[in-house]
Amino acid sequence: MATRLPEAPKVGMVSLGCPKNLVDSERILTKLRSDGYAMSADYAGADVVLVNTCGFLDSAKEESLEAIGEAIAENGRVIVTGCMGKEAEVIRARFPNVLAVTGAHQYEEVVGAVHDAAPMPPNAFLNLVPDSGLKLTPRHYSYLKISEGCNHRCAFCIIPALRGDLVSRRPDAILREAEKLIEAGTRELLVISQDTSAYGVDIRKEPRMWKGQEVVPHMTDLARELGKIAGQAGGWVRLHYVYPYPHVDQVIPLMAEGLVLPYLDIPFQHASPSVLRTMRRPANEAKVLERLRGWRDICPDIAIRSTFVVGFPGETEDDFQYLLDWLDEAQLDRVGAFRFEPVEGAAANDLPGAVPEAVKEERYARIMEKTAAISAAKLQAKIGRTLDVIVDEVEGDGANARSQADAPEIDGTVFLRDAGHLNQGDIVRVEIEDADDHDLYGVPLA
């Protein structure tokens, strides 16, 4: 008679915040799965629930606290991790029954807390995890984190306080992870960090061997090698959170060659020199416009996305109009904006010249109207063109896809008709038939 093996404890996960947090969640779950734990899709089936929090803005903190409260109400056995772990006293004051609180990317502490809260029974059957690890994204795209922390000290940001200074991963470790992801079916690698352009500045004199050759820990070298890995499988590499340092110019030829997608996510935040100085950010906006023109000369299809803060302390109407005029010149493809929000611990909280909430709302509406008009004109120009797209979802005879100018969940969609024969993750050629302010409409050519 076969011996009945004890069941492994089940772990639930709530992951909030940015893609960097999502990668942390994937790493935690991968380690727990390799330790033999099972995963639960709901509160009821979990022996313990992990809540990976975001603490960047006060609104994000409140969302995190609400998620913790919901997990406690629905399950009762909750471990908190992530950026808000820095404020353990706030969490415990509101939820004294949480089992443990750990900080961002403290993987060993989180896993240890799970082992304490839900110990593995003796002789539990351990299921092996795939080499690529467990993922919280669809199979066809994966976030690839290349570093932790940030060396900037922007007045509105507390990321260095939450995650520390820049710590770059070894290039060979990154490339090995990328290779495993591609082998497991990933078609699009989304490179993320707090500051992708700064990758390797802390380990610049520590090249590593990869496939018989030396790889320097530098953004350009890493992007080139990632492009080779993805390109062998016909996949894509997309760069996020790229500060416009001078050496970014070296990446544009890689885009023109097709090794890296012609897409840059650059956090400009503002354009007015006075606001940028107050934010403690680079303020040479004229040079940026010149470089944008140069990039487009080398790679005409390059898409630039960015985010901007409106209503920063001291922002005048002239400052805001300067930003709108700059956007007319820059002609960015994708733009997001958010109203300034004080964050506990940020230097900006002590700045004079607070902008009234009504003014923030009015400026937010104006920048979104401006950028929607720019986006609409750019997308109208694509009607009649043939573009490569990656398929995110197929439903009936239609499909939702993204062009090379569209990152998942933050940019636009290419809606396809006559696409029922396609599969998620397919990269296909389509003819663009129509467009609106943010999205394209087309039909597959095969």
Side-chain angles (χ1 to χ4, degrees), residues 11-17 21-22 24-26 28-29 32 49-55 64-65 67-68 78-88 91-92 98-111 113-114 162-163:
V11 179
M13 169 68 83
V14 178
S15 188
L16 304 172
N21 248 26
L22 190 69
D24 289 344
S25 296
E26 290 176 341
I28 293 166
L29 290 181
L32 289 172
V49 176
L50 296 175
V51 180
N52 193 358
T53 58
C54 178
S64 295
L65 291 170
I68 296 168
V78 177
I79 294 170
V80 179
T81 187
C83 293
M84 205 177 169
K86 284 279 188 178
E87 301 182 48
I91 295 170
R92 291 193 179 280
V98 294
L99 300 177
V101 181
T102 71
H105 56 84
Q106 293 181 348
Y107 310 118
E108 292 182 4
E109 288 85 346
V110 178
V111 172
V114 173
L162 296 175
R163 291 182 173 261

Side-chain angles (χ1 to χ4, degrees), residues 39-211:
M39 302 298 121
S40 175
D42 54 39
Y43 292 122
D47 293 287
V48 64
V49 176
L50 296 175
V51 180
N52 193 358
T53 58
C54 178
F56 183 59
L57 297 172
D58 286 349
S59 56
K61 292 180 183 179
E62 188 56 37
E63 180 186 8
S64 295
L65 291 170
E66 289 175 2
I68 296 168
E70 179 180 328
I72 289 176
E74 295 291 333
N75 182 279
R77 296 177 57 76
V78 177
I79 294 170
V80 179
T81 187
C83 293
M84 205 177 169
K86 284 279 188 178
E87 301 182 48
E89 69 285 353
V90 174
I91 295 170
R92 291 193 179 280
R94 188 155 165 180
F95 306 107
N97 294 329
V98 294
L99 300 177
V101 181
T102 71
H105 56 84
Q106 293 181 348
Y107 310 118
E108 292 182 4
E109 288 85 346
V110 178
V111 172
V114 173
H115 279 276
D116 290 341
M120 287 293 299
N123 302 316
F125 182 74
L126 302 182
N127 287 313
L128 296 177
V129 299
D131 286 342
S132 58
L134 300 183
K135 295 171 77 265
L136 297 176
T137 54
R139 182 171 181 262
H140 63 292
Y141 67 80
S142 301
Y143 292 103
L144 182 64
K145 183 155 53 169
I146 63 173
S147 65
E148 295 282 2
C150 183
N151 289 340
H152 292 285
R153 295 296 183 266
C154 301
F156 55 82
C157 183
I158 59 170
I159 291 296
L162 296 175
R163 291 182 173 261
D165 288 336
L166 176 77
V167 178
S168 300
R169 295 179 62 195
R170 291 171 42 161
D172 55 327
I174 296 170
L175 296 173
R176 189 175 300 111
E177 181 181 350
E179 189 173 66
K180 289 180 178 179
L181 289 169
I182 293 294
E183 289 173 352
T186 292
R187 304 301 310 279
E188 180 180 16
L189 294 170
L190 300 117
V191 178
I192 59 170
S193 65
Q194 297 297 336
D195 180 0
T196 295
S197 308
Y199 170 73
V201 298
D202 55 327
I203 56 171
R204 66 180 63 187
K205 295 181 180 179
E206 301 175 25
R208 299 287 179 171
M209 296 302 296
W210 172 254
K211 304 292 185 181

Side-chain angles (χ1 to χ4, degrees), residues 213-229:
Q213 66 179 23
E214 197 173 74
V215 179
V216 177
H218 185 275
M219 175 189 178
T220 308
D221 298 75
L222 184 66
R224 181 184 298 109
E225 296 305 316
L226 289 173
K228 292 176 182 177
I229 292 172

